[in-house]
Amino acid sequence: MPIKIPKGLPALSALEKEGVMVMDEAGPTFQYHRPLRIGLLNLMPDKINTEIQIARLLGATPLQVELTLIKTSSYVPKNTSSEHIASFYHDWSDIREQKFDGFIITGAPIETMPFEEVSYWGELTHIFQWTQTNVHSCLNICWGAQAAMHYFHNMPRYLLNEKAFGVFSHHGLDSCSPYLKGFPDDFHIPVSRWMEMRRTDIPPGSGISVLIDSSETGLCLLHDPRHHALHIFNHIEYDSTTLADEYFRDRDAGRSIHLPRNYFPGDCETLHPRNQWRGHAHLLFGNWINRIFQTTPADLATIGHPEV
């Protein structure tokens, strides 16, 4: 089934060229079950590419998804045109009375900054709390996952000696988890971060389970059932060239950056990288959407009611 996205969003034409079934918001609804409402709080500076990456994965599932793009009300994005933001994004303050089957919070390029110094941290804490009553299932990515673990569990972060940057081998730890359905024991995921959270700091009795980790880069995917959330510290949603774009951007700006590991063929930056994670990205997002479909209330308005 197609993903339903705002009319005119650049992701529409990009995904159509890739063969992804998409429809704009003016199109008809084809399935008997209502579309799943997924909100995307997009904190990334390159909003259009992030929209495409997330919509590609949501649109590959057999279920119809209605994607709502959201931004914080307390911060004005600087790297995306105001016309694009005005045309396609809703302030969280304007949709806070609505209910969502799923909600995604992306990473943000503010990783080494203390959470409390982030200009929109106060609003984000309200959003985290709001997800507990207005969202059936959350997926927090990279900085978004770190922020959620800090807010809900007071987990500390640690600065790495060098950036964890490249494509690293990961291991699935719970083959019975519905979120890891179809995953092999070992697989590759892109990593791009300066900070880490550690297993030893997971609070006892929190109910958190580690679903994916890496011997090289540590924790990757956590299941947090008490807050009906998945927290993924790495970027399984990335395109083939996203790490290359980050590498050349930082190198050309004179920032300290090493070649992404296990990425360019033969470590030759002039060769096109091979995507080793695409299938697993589709699996994870497909499993998440399928789990939402199986467990979300039929009546959207009853999301957040403890008796449902």
Side-chain angles (χ1 to χ4, degrees):
M1 295 296 290
I3 178 174
K4 190 174 185 180
I5 58 180
K7 185 176 182 180
L9 190 73
L12 183 69
S13 59
L15 298 181
E16 283 179 335
K17 292 177 183 177
E18 298 178 14
V20 177
M21 293 181 65
V22 293
M23 59 187 292
D24 65 39
E25 57 192 356
T29 298
F30 294 109
Q31 63 185 55
Y32 293 106
H33 186 279
R34 61 174 177 78
L36 296 177
R37 294 202 70 211
I38 306 296
L40 173 61
L41 181 64
N42 190 354
L43 304 175
M44 293 291 281
D46 188 349
K47 297 202 182 305
I48 292 177
N49 276 337
T50 301
E51 294 157 10
I52 293 172
Q53 290 168 6
I54 299 298
R56 173 187 296 120
L57 297 170
L58 296 176
T61 70
L63 301 169
Q64 186 171 314
V65 171
E66 181 178 310
L67 183 63
T68 301
L69 302 176
I70 300 162
K71 69 178 185 67
T72 55
S73 308
S74 54
Y75 176 76
V76 178
K78 300 176 181 177
N79 295 284
T80 303
S81 73
S82 58
E83 291 80 9
H84 183 87
I85 297 298
S87 296
F88 302 116
Y89 278 79
H90 304 267
D91 281 356
W92 173 72
S93 60
D94 293 332
I95 58 91
R96 62 186 304 170
E97 300 302 322
Q98 299 180 24
K99 301 290 184 81
F100 291 86
D101 299 288
F103 199 79
I104 300 170
I105 299 178
T106 71
I110 48 176
E111 190 182 10
T112 59
M113 184 184 299
F115 291 118
E116 290 75 14
E117 293 182 12
V118 174
S119 61
Y120 50 80
W121 177 249
E123 182 178 7
L124 188 59
T125 63
H126 291 304
I127 293 173
F128 282 138
Q129 191 58 43
W130 167 86
T131 64
Q132 302 307 289
T133 56
N134 288 61
V135 175
H136 181 67
S137 181
C138 304
L139 176 60
N140 303 310
I141 300 174
C142 199
W143 183 85
Q146 296 174 11
M149 288 296 292
H150 175 74
Y151 174 73
F152 288 119
H153 301 285
N154 200 30
M155 285 266 289
R157 295 182 301 168
Y158 302 89
L159 180 65
L160 300 172
N161 292 327
E162 68 172 13
K163 187 176 185 179
F165 189 47
V167 180
F168 296 91
S169 178
H170 286 68
H171 187 70
L173 300 176
D174 184 1
S175 60
C176 295
S177 169
Y179 301 108
L180 297 188
K181 180 181 177 182
F183 271 77
D185 291 338
D186 297 287
F187 41 90
H188 293 85
I189 297 178
V191 181
S192 179
R193 52 180 165 81
W194 279 100
M195 308 288 286
E196 70 174 1
M197 287 183 160
R198 297 174 181 171
R199 182 193 294 260
T200 53
D201 292 321
I202 296 175
S206 64
I208 291 173
S209 58
V210 181
L211 299 185
I212 299 174
D213 72 356
S214 168
S215 60
E216 297 176 274
T217 58
L219 294 174
C220 175
L221 179 65
L222 306 181
H223 181 209
D224 185 0
R226 291 184 185 174
H227 299 98
H228 41 87
L230 292 176
H231 311 294
I232 183 166
F233 298 119
N234 301 332
H235 285 287
I236 201 168
E237 82 283 1
Y238 267 8
D239 289 330
S240 301
T241 60
T242 305
L243 290 178
D245 294 339
E246 292 182 1
Y247 168 69
F248 291 122
R249 176 201 65 198
D250 289 352
R251 188 197 65 180
D252 294 346
R255 302 189 185 104
S256 175
I257 189 67
H258 60 75
L259 202 69
R261 307 196 192 287
N262 315 310
Y263 180 61
F264 290 111
D267 282 340
C268 179
E269 64 184 46
T270 62
L271 297 180
H272 193 277
R274 298 184 63 184
N275 192 309
Q276 306 174 65
W277 62 91
R278 182 183 296 114
H280 304 119
H282 282 284
L283 267 179
L284 181 62
F285 273 73
N287 289 342
W288 180 59
I289 288 294
N290 185 54
R291 185 65 176 169
I292 290 174
F293 176 75
Q294 292 177 356
T295 60
T296 197
D299 182 358
L300 190 69
T302 62
I303 284 176
H305 292 197
E307 66 273 13
V308 175

